[in-house]
Amino acid sequence: MLIEKYDVEVFTPPCDPGAERYAARARLNVDIFEVLAYLNATLRGAIYHPAAKALTWKKGGHNIAFHDYEIATSNVEDREMAVKELEGLIALVNRTWENRAQIVPSHDTRQRPTPMAILKLLPQTNCRQCGEPTCFNFALRLATAQKNLAACPSLSEPKYSNQLAALQEMVIDAPSMG
Ligand code: SF4
């Protein structure tokens, strides 16, 4: 296991005193910089910043940052959830490191796709089968890694195969945080 020991700190961000949202960080006893390229290859919507030794990711409305000796999350509803999320992120890093032989690391800094760029490739029928009121709402959720392409059944129709392939290039499915 890569990360075995860490210290957790949960706090209310100083820029938002009194807000009922929390931030948390885990200070690590090992350097995880090498794992960031593997996470970059597998986490949908992650942005890799090699010069800063960091990778940022947005999941479920939470802002997550992986650094060489630290993992942080913010905009979390309560303290308990913040700690639980950090534990899930640490498990994700350990799992990714253990599976690195099956992953081609990526050192590219990917631009997050805009909702409009995604919308252009969706069927644009506003059929609601994805649970969203419009294709644009679905595009917004895809852009922020809150939905998977599989949630749009229309995309599996043969006539959308080219669009689906382009979307799969644009957004990478995130593994479960377990
Ligand atoms: S299921 Fe697909 S086509 Fe239907 S509204 Fe959602 S994104 Fe649009």
Side-chain angles (χ1 to χ4, degrees), residues 2 32 34-43 55 57 66 88-105 175-177:
L2 181 64
I32 63 164
E34 221 182 309
V35 192
L36 301 190
Y38 294 92
L39 291 171
N40 188 38
T42 53
L43 295 184
L55 180 114
W57 188 39
F66 300 91
L89 293 168
I90 286 163
L92 170 67
V93 169
N94 281 335
R95 203 164 54 241
T96 302
W97 185 244
E98 279 158 24
N99 294 334
R100 66 191 182 281
Q102 284 90 51
I103 304 169
V104 178
S176 159
M177 279 169 52

Side-chain angles (χ1 to χ4, degrees), residues 2 7 13 26 28 55 62 67 69 97 121 143:
L2 181 64
D7 295 318
L28 315 175
L55 180 114
H62 301 166
H67 294 270
Y69 283 95
W97 185 244
L121 295 166

Side-chain angles (χ1 to χ4, degrees), residues 3-152:
I3 303 172
E4 290 186 345
K5 288 187 182 167
Y6 54 91
D7 295 318
V8 172
E9 182 187 0
V10 183
F11 55 95
T12 303
C15 57
D16 206 4
E20 291 184 2
R21 309 297 285 185
Y22 292 87
R25 72 168 73 99
R27 296 187 197 280
L28 315 175
N29 67 337
V30 285
D31 184 347
I32 63 164
F33 178 58
E34 221 182 309
V35 192
L36 301 190
Y38 294 92
L39 291 171
N40 188 38
T42 53
L43 295 184
R44 191 177 91 195
I47 311 274
Y48 186 45
H49 313 271
K53 292 190 166 185
L55 180 114
T56 53
W57 188 39
K58 198 164 178 115
K59 184 172 173 60
H62 301 166
N63 302 312
I64 294 158
F66 300 91
H67 294 270
D68 45 356
Y69 283 95
E70 183 179 296
I71 299 173
T73 183
S74 64
N75 200 31
V76 185
E77 291 77 3
D78 61 49
R79 288 177 175 273
E80 200 178 311
M81 196 178 285
V83 172
K84 205 170 168 196
E85 178 161 282
L86 277 181
E87 288 170 354
L89 293 168
I90 286 163
L92 170 67
V93 169
N94 281 335
R95 203 164 54 241
T96 302
W97 185 244
E98 279 158 24
N99 294 334
R100 66 191 182 281
Q102 284 90 51
I103 304 169
V104 178
S106 167
H107 298 273
D108 298 335
T109 297
R110 192 184 299 122
Q111 294 299 314
R112 185 167 287 168
T114 65
M116 282 311 293
I118 293 172
L119 177 64
K120 282 180 188 164
L121 295 166
L122 290 175
Q124 301 189 40
T125 58
N126 298 330
C127 72
R128 301 182 173 211
Q129 289 184 78
C130 56
E132 297 298 323
T134 66
C135 292
F136 183 66
N137 286 67
F138 185 67
L140 280 172
R141 292 203 173 260
L142 276 178
T144 52
Q146 295 176 66
K147 283 267 184 179
N148 285 320
L149 289 169
C152 172

Side-chain angles (χ1 to χ4, degrees), residues 123 125 127 129 152-165:
T125 58
C127 72
Q129 289 184 78
C152 172
S154 302
L155 283 173
S156 57
E157 293 174 24
K159 65 181 174 184
Y160 295 120
S161 60
N162 289 344
Q163 280 141 279
L164 177 61

